[in-house]
Amino acid sequence: FFFSSRRRHTRYIGDWSSDVCSSDLLQFLYFIGYPSTLGQMSLLDEIKKGKQLKKVETVDKSSGRLAGFTTDGELREYHTYIAKFDADEWVEALGDLTFKTKVIELGYEECSAIERLCKRVESVKERVGSHAWGSINIHDQLGVDVGEMFSGLVGRIDSVIGEDGRKSGVFAKLSCRSAKDVVTNRLRKAFEERVGGRPLDDNEKLAILLQTSTDLMKMHSGKEILETFTLSERVMSDLGMALKYPERFRQNLIIREWCDLDVAMEFRGFVHNNEFTALSQYNYFIYVPQVVAQKDAIEPAIRTFWESRCRAPLASFGSYVIDFVLLTTTPHPDSIKVIEVNPFYETTSAALFNWKDPVLKNGPFELRILEEPPKKRPEIEPEYRTILGWD
């Protein structure tokens, strides 16, 4: 059961994107060093936290901008639109074009109990500090109001995962986002083990950090999944928003088959009014010689895959951002999978494009990749700079 939550909102390094590929962790690195990402990385997270925003002129959902203050009705409208791109909305339509996925429906009371547990754990995290998250005993925070629900949900998840999932691992997320923000607590040790003291350049280190953060999203049991969720501010925020509107409440736990992917072979496509207008290297801040060498083969393979297999089942979405991954070293339509479908909206990273680029709506089709190693280090969050040894 593979999944990626990266997608809209900010991007974390390793989020099985947009959250299993690097897709929902790239923005873990919260990359703000490239023009295409300026002003895009934190907007949705701010909205999720309830920041008052104002809708300025909106012609359609792909062109609207948010700034200043907004009414609750406008915010509700925005989240209704975003919810149309939750995994359970497009997974069934794509079938075997994406990774095997199972959906566990969550009740309002279950989500309310998980949110309460998240808040209790958050208060403990504030006391002990992020460096000591691993020492937190989730079961000490359960209480009688949450304990029975927690145990029952663990059992439901384990029954869905099955023996194969427990052995090979799965990717888990809520309808909207994953708990990728928890990965940072384990990232340094895993990164250092993979580097193994080798003398690497910045590009090589960044590629390893991205792959490592993605691989850390693999989980093997219902207990591990729920304990990870309760440590996640992203999960707490998303549940709070879902619970705010009980009349339209719908929240699922998405379990996806784990697939060991090469994060360097992920690509982000842009579809406007059911026309494929643009394609970008997904992890656009790393230079990948293989991608450069195969650029002329990658473009037709992905375009053919979308035209012949994705256009029809996704036609009802109209405009969207779609993430692909190549599963083999030789680009071919038969070796491509869809990772995620995201809103065609400025809260989705435009990768090597910019939401002001006319090509995203009008074409002509263009593929952009990083053609040479970056001349300077991207600006990333301090904790990741420290892991990379850039401070």
Side-chain angles (χ1 to χ4, degrees), residues 130-282:
S130 60
H131 64 282
W133 284 12
S135 65
I136 298 177
N137 188 329
I138 303 299
H139 287 268
D140 288 345
Q141 311 301 321
L142 289 177
V144 294
D145 60 326
V146 177
E148 184 175 350
M149 179 283 304
F150 188 93
S151 299
L153 189 51
V154 165
R156 288 173 61 195
I157 297 172
D158 282 339
S159 66
V160 167
I161 291 176
E163 188 61 30
D164 290 342
R166 281 189 284 275
K167 290 179 179 178
S168 60
V170 300
F171 176 81
K173 66 185 291 292
L174 293 178
S175 291
C176 185
R177 298 192 293 177
S178 70
K180 63 193 175 188
D181 52 323
V182 179
V183 170
T184 43
N185 196 45
R186 298 177 287 157
L187 187 54
R188 176 192 289 274
K189 180 180 179 181
F191 171 76
E192 291 176 348
E193 288 176 350
R194 291 197 179 185
V195 171
R198 292 175 291 161
L200 303 174
D201 62 32
D202 288 345
N203 187 70
E204 292 170 323
K205 286 182 179 180
L206 200 50
I208 291 175
L209 185 67
L210 180 60
Q211 187 70 58
T212 302
S213 62
T214 297
D215 295 343
L216 287 174
M217 294 299 296
K218 182 191 292 188
M219 290 180 268
H220 298 84
S221 69
K223 180 175 181 291
E224 182 181 10
I225 290 170
L226 286 188
E227 289 185 348
T228 300
F229 279 11
T230 58
L231 288 167
S232 171
E233 293 181 19
R234 288 161 56 86
V235 167
M236 182 172 65
S237 174
D238 289 353
L239 288 177
M241 181 57 65
L243 294 166
K244 185 177 181 180
Y245 305 111
E247 72 279 5
R248 64 174 179 84
F249 174 83
R250 188 192 65 176
Q251 194 66 221
N252 294 318
L253 176 60
I254 311 297
I255 305 293
R256 304 200 77 183
E257 172 187 28
W258 184 270
C259 180
D260 291 320
L261 302 181
D262 182 351
V263 298
M265 302 307 290
E266 297 178 52
F267 296 86
R268 168 154 285 184
F270 299 85
V271 176
H272 186 253
N273 290 336
N274 286 314
E275 294 298 330
F276 199 169
T277 59
L279 182 67
S280 171
Q281 183 177 338
Y282 184 79

Side-chain angles (χ1 to χ4, degrees), residues 4-7 15-19 24 173 177-178 340:
S4 173
S5 157
R6 57 186 138 205
R7 96 197 209 186
D15 188 0
W16 270 45
S17 281
S18 156
D19 290 301
D24 289 103
K173 66 185 291 292
R177 298 192 293 177
S178 70
E340 189 170 53

Side-chain angles (χ1 to χ4, degrees), residues 12 34 48 73 91-92 127 150 181 214 264 282 298 325 327:
Y12 281 69
Y34 290 87
K48 288 286 187 182
V91 162
E92 184 175 356
R127 292 200 304 270
F150 188 93
D181 52 323
T214 297
Y282 184 79
I298 289 171
V325 62
L327 300 177

Side-chain angles (χ1 to χ4, degrees), residues 11-12 40 50-51 54 61 68 82 191 199 221 282 310 346:
R11 198 157 159 193
Y12 281 69
Q40 298 174 15
K51 181 178 180 179
K54 177 184 178 181
K61 289 296 183 182
I82 293 296
F191 171 76
S221 69
Y282 184 79
C310 301
E346 291 190 13

